[in-house]
Amino acid sequence: MKRTRIAVMAAAAALILGACGNAGEEDTGSDDTKVADNAAAQFEDGTRMKELAESGKVKIGVKFDQPGLGFKKAGVDVPTGLDVEMGKIIAAKLGIKAADVEWIETISDNREPFLQKGTVDFVLASYSITDERRKVVGQAGPYYLTGQQLLVKKGSDIKGVEDVKGKEVCSVTGSTSLAQIEDKGAKARGFETYSQCRDQVLDGAVGAMTTDGSILLGYAAENPDELEVVGKPFSEERYGVGYNKDQPELCEFIQDTLKTAQDDGAWAKAFEATLGKSGVETPEPPAMDPCP
Ligand code: GLU
């Protein structure tokens, strides 16, 4: 597990080294995910999978402003990033191709209500599995591991989490990151999106931004002259796929689909097309939790 985590960090760090210009633009994703034929036939009547496969429609919530994970350029229909690739694999198993998925922007704070209200069928949005969240939504996975770090302006006197006491640090409301940085003694300031928070760092309005290393490294890669990620990871974030708790059959379906993708090389291909774009070694995919 530890080796996996280090490999993932190294992969994300390599985004910086491999960066030239806009990391989101380089991140094209894959376009040949194999879509299941006659998908509905494989599911039992009365299951949510059968309904989705028969309707040929699925709504997937992803981030739109996180290069490497969930990123959507204006005028482009299908976003890109590792979260999106995992969403494509799940949709394909339902017989739905990427262009027919309704990709809906989710921010950290609306992931649970979007799942509860049916605004989206699945959330794949740098969505850490936590006990609190599992009280209100289903979370299958994890499909990826990362950890919380800090993004600062180059030359900042903040070099790691031990330096944040009493300093203004931004993050996003509804994230694990905001609560965790408050616990470290920072003056935490919550924004709606990480791109807004990043702008606060660039303007010098706050001393640092904090969230998952995978997200921060994407921003640093976009702006390597001004921004850098500092310090060691100080949490473990395990990204899961959110689904509505009233449809518990979705858990086995998601886990089986992800497991197959791990075994047949689709997971590795997805990683290589997104966070691993710099050519760094692809990590071992994480072991998944049992379904409830
Ligand atoms: N992974 C953390 C979370 O789920 C932080 C990233 C985010 O806000 O999307 O809260």
Side-chain angles (χ1 to χ4, degrees):
M1 187 71 90
K2 198 160 202 166
R3 222 197 76 220
T4 306
R5 188 161 71 232
I6 290 165
V8 170
M9 297 300 172
L15 268 176
I16 290 184
L17 305 174
C20 60
N22 185 330
E25 268 171 35
E26 290 193 1
D27 168 16
T28 50
S30 69
D31 54 7
D32 57 353
T33 310
K34 174 108 185 56
V35 176
D37 295 323
N38 196 12
Q42 65 187 310
F43 302 115
E44 276 177 41
D45 288 346
T47 60
R48 184 64 183 148
M49 294 79 83
K50 182 100 170 177
E51 269 173 25
L52 290 169
E54 278 180 347
S55 73
K57 290 189 187 123
V58 64
K59 294 175 284 185
I60 303 186
V62 295
K63 299 288 184 81
F64 277 10
D65 67 342
Q66 293 177 191
L69 286 169
F71 187 84
K72 189 168 177 296
K73 267 202 286 184
V76 170
D77 288 339
V78 181
T80 56
L82 184 68
D83 292 343
V84 175
E85 290 300 315
M86 295 296 120
K88 284 189 201 173
I89 288 170
I90 292 167
K93 188 76 181 167
L94 296 166
I96 302 167
K97 52 182 200 296
D100 295 333
V101 171
E102 194 179 340
W103 300 101
I104 295 180
E105 181 175 20
T106 51
I107 56 171
S108 298
D109 213 22
N110 65 21
R111 293 174 291 195
E112 289 88 37
F114 269 26
L115 286 167
Q116 288 170 311
K117 287 190 263 169
T119 312
V120 295
D121 298 299
F122 301 107
V123 164
L124 291 105
S126 55
Y127 197 22
S128 298
I129 296 172
T130 70
D131 293 344
E132 278 302 297
R133 289 173 179 163
R134 275 186 166 161
K135 286 182 190 149
V136 289
V137 296
Q139 289 187 305
Y143 60 86
Y144 178 68
L145 308 177
T146 179
Q148 187 167 349
Q149 286 180 279
L150 294 157
L151 180 78
V152 297
K153 265 195 165 171
K154 279 201 160 156
S156 164
D157 54 359
I158 299 178
K159 308 274 182 228
V161 71
E162 52 291 345
D163 301 323
V164 302
K165 272 212 172 65
K167 303 245 173 67
E168 298 229 48
V169 179
C170 68
S171 194
V172 156
T173 45
S175 68
T176 52
S177 324
L178 194 66
Q180 281 159 187
I181 202 68
E182 250 170 358
D183 290 348
K184 302 286 181 195
K187 284 190 201 149
R189 293 188 49 200
F191 289 84
E192 273 206 341
T193 63
Y194 288 110
S195 41
Q196 287 169 356
C197 175
R198 181 263 330 263
D199 292 346
Q200 297 290 310
V201 178
L202 284 171
D203 290 351
V206 299
M209 158 176 178
T210 188
T211 187
D212 306 338
S214 53
I215 300 173
L216 297 179
L217 287 158
Y219 289 125
E222 281 190 321
N223 204 339
D225 293 340
E226 284 187 271
L227 297 173
E228 66 181 338
V229 178
V230 292
K232 292 198 184 76
F234 51 93
S235 75
E236 184 172 65
E237 308 297 323
R238 305 162 65 243
Y239 288 178
V241 180
Y243 60 93
N244 188 309
K245 232 177 145 63
D246 297 338
Q247 296 148 357
E249 67 275 20
L250 286 171
C251 184
E252 296 282 352
F253 162 69
I254 298 165
Q255 308 268 67
D256 288 351
T257 305
L258 294 177
K259 187 81 190 63
T260 304
Q262 293 185 350
D263 294 345
D264 71 8
W267 185 94
K269 207 167 150 224
F271 185 87
E272 281 153 21
T274 56
L275 289 181
K277 200 87 181 177
S278 56
V280 76
E281 202 189 322
T282 303
E284 286 294 312
M288 272 177 281
D289 295 347
C291 283

